[in-house]
Amino acid sequence: MDLIPYSTCKKFLDFQPEKPWPKSWPIFAWEKTLISGFTYTDKPVLNFKSEDVKFLHLFHSCYPYLNLSEMGRIISQWSNISFLNFSWKEFFSFYSLQNTDSLIQQLKILISTPPSFQNWINKKSIHPTALRVLNSLKNIKHANPLFQWIAENNLSQSLGIKTLEMGVELILMGISFDEILKSNLSPEDTIQAIEKKRKPLSTIQDETKKKKLENIMWPSHVTGGWNRKGDKTGLEIKIWCQNQKELEEKLNKVNQLSVFQKLKE
C-alpha cells in the first residue's frame, strides 16, 4: 500500500456511482486502478496491491451497498476486464444475490430503460426477479411509455409491479393502452382500466358482484361492498355499533343474509 498521484491511475472502472464519494475520505485504487473518488483529480490516491487485499474485498468495503442501476453499469462496463480476476457469482454473493445468469440478464435490461424508471426501481427496492417479465419483450423500448408512467406517478412497489406485468402482457397481446396512460384518470383508475383490458371477464364479474351487493337489504348501520385490496378482490363489510350485544345482533343478521350465496346466484 502506498500513496500515488491521481494522474498515474487508470480510470476505466468508473461506473458512475450515484452517491458522491465523501471529500474527507481518501481515494482508493487497486493496482493503480481507481475504484473510488473518480472525480477528485487533485487528491493523492491510496493504492493497494493484490498482495495487500483482494479486489472484491476492497471494492465492497468502499461500496457496501449498490443499487440495481449501478450493478447494471458494472456488468456492462467490466465484463471484458480480465485482470480483476473474480467471477460474477462471487461479486453478487457480496450483495446477497444469487442466480447469476438470470440476474445479469435482468440488469442488462434494466439499464436500457428510461432513467426515471430506474430511479423508481431503486427507490422502491424492487427485487430483480420482478423484472423477469421484461424478458418476453423483443424490443424493450415498446414499453417506455409504461415505464415512464409508473415512475411519474410514483406507484407503490406492489402496484408498480402489478401494472408492469399487466402492461407488458397487453403489449405481447398486441393491445394498445397508450390512450389510457395519456388520459387524465387517477393512477388507481388508470390501473383499473389497464386491468379491464387485460382481464375483461374477471372485471365484468367484479362489476356484477358490486351491483348485487348494492341491492341487498343490509341491517341498519351495516354496509357491504365488493372492493379491491392490492391485487385481490373481496367482500368488505362495515358495522357500526355501541356495545358487544349490538355487535352480536348485527353479525347474526349479516350471517342470515347468506351474502356469498347470493353472489353465487
Side-chain angles (χ1 to χ4, degrees):
M1 181 177 62
D2 54 359
L3 280 176
I4 60 175
Y6 179 94
S7 58
T8 63
C9 295
K10 303 180 183 69
K11 305 164 184 69
F12 51 77
L13 294 185
D14 184 1
F15 61 98
Q16 300 87 48
E18 296 181 10
K19 289 185 178 180
W21 189 253
K23 291 183 178 181
S24 59
W25 290 13
I27 299 175
F28 293 103
W30 187 82
E31 293 292 346
K32 296 186 177 181
T33 302
L34 284 182
I35 62 173
S36 69
F38 298 103
T39 59
Y40 297 143
T41 59
D42 57 345
K43 296 180 70 173
V45 176
L46 190 59
N47 180 55
F48 290 82
K49 299 179 181 179
S50 57
E51 57 261 31
D52 298 326
V53 63
K54 290 184 177 180
F55 171 78
L56 280 184
H57 286 87
L58 181 60
F59 181 81
H60 185 256
S61 296
C62 293
Y63 303 99
Y65 171 80
L66 293 173
N67 63 40
L68 295 185
S69 296
E70 290 170 326
M71 287 188 180
R73 291 193 290 271
I74 287 173
I75 286 288
S76 175
Q77 297 172 28
W78 293 10
S79 292
N80 296 321
I81 300 174
S82 58
F83 88 98
L84 297 177
N85 194 28
F86 68 83
S87 68
W88 289 119
K89 181 178 181 180
E90 186 182 6
F91 174 85
F92 291 130
S93 69
F94 276 87
Y95 297 96
S96 301
L97 292 170
Q98 298 177 347
N99 298 325
T100 306
D101 292 338
S102 175
L103 178 56
I104 289 175
Q105 184 178 8
Q106 307 313 319
L107 294 175
K108 287 181 177 179
I109 291 175
L110 176 62
I111 60 173
S112 66
T113 64
S116 60
F117 179 70
Q118 294 183 47
N119 290 337
W120 177 82
I121 289 286
N122 298 326
K123 180 180 177 182
K124 301 299 182 180
S125 300
I126 305 297
H127 195 275
T129 54
L131 304 178
R132 288 179 181 173
V133 66
L134 303 181
N135 294 347
S136 55
L137 292 174
K138 293 182 179 180
N139 188 341
I140 196 70
K141 292 183 179 179
H142 289 167
N144 277 354
L146 177 66
F147 298 148
Q148 292 166 345
W149 185 86
I150 290 174
E152 289 169 2
N153 288 277
N154 193 28
L155 299 186
S156 67
Q157 185 186 85
S158 59
L159 279 181
I161 293 173
K162 176 185 175 181
T163 306
L164 181 66
E165 291 175 345
M166 289 193 301
V168 170
E169 288 170 355
L170 286 178
I171 292 173
L172 295 174
M173 294 165 65
I175 301 175
S176 174
F177 53 92
D178 289 350
E179 291 183 6
I180 298 176
L181 298 181
K182 293 177 182 177
S183 65
N184 293 322
L185 296 173
S186 68
E188 292 78 11
D189 290 340
T190 300
I191 293 170
Q192 287 185 9
I194 292 175
E195 186 170 22
K196 189 173 183 178
K197 277 201 168 190
R198 174 63 188 91
K199 302 176 181 177
L201 291 179
S202 61
T203 302
I204 292 173
Q205 291 173 354
D206 286 342
E207 291 176 352
T208 301
K209 290 175 180 177
K210 285 183 180 180
K211 290 180 181 178
K212 284 188 176 182
L213 289 172
E214 290 173 358
N215 295 327
I216 290 179
M217 297 296 293
W218 295 97
S220 62
H221 301 300
V222 177
T223 57
W226 192 259
N227 296 327
R228 174 169 295 280
K229 298 291 184 181
D231 60 350
K232 296 181 180 180
T233 56
L235 176 63
E236 182 176 32
I237 298 177
K238 296 181 180 180
I239 298 176
W240 185 90
C241 59
Q242 292 179 299
N243 51 58
Q244 182 68 29
K245 181 180 179 182
E246 191 175 349
L247 173 61
E248 291 174 355
E249 290 175 351
K250 290 181 178 180
L251 286 174
N252 287 331
K253 290 181 180 179
V254 170
N255 286 331
Q256 291 172 10
L257 287 175
S258 302
V259 179
F260 281 102
Q261 183 61 39
K262 293 181 182 295
L263 290 176
K264 287 182 181 179
E265 296 171 356

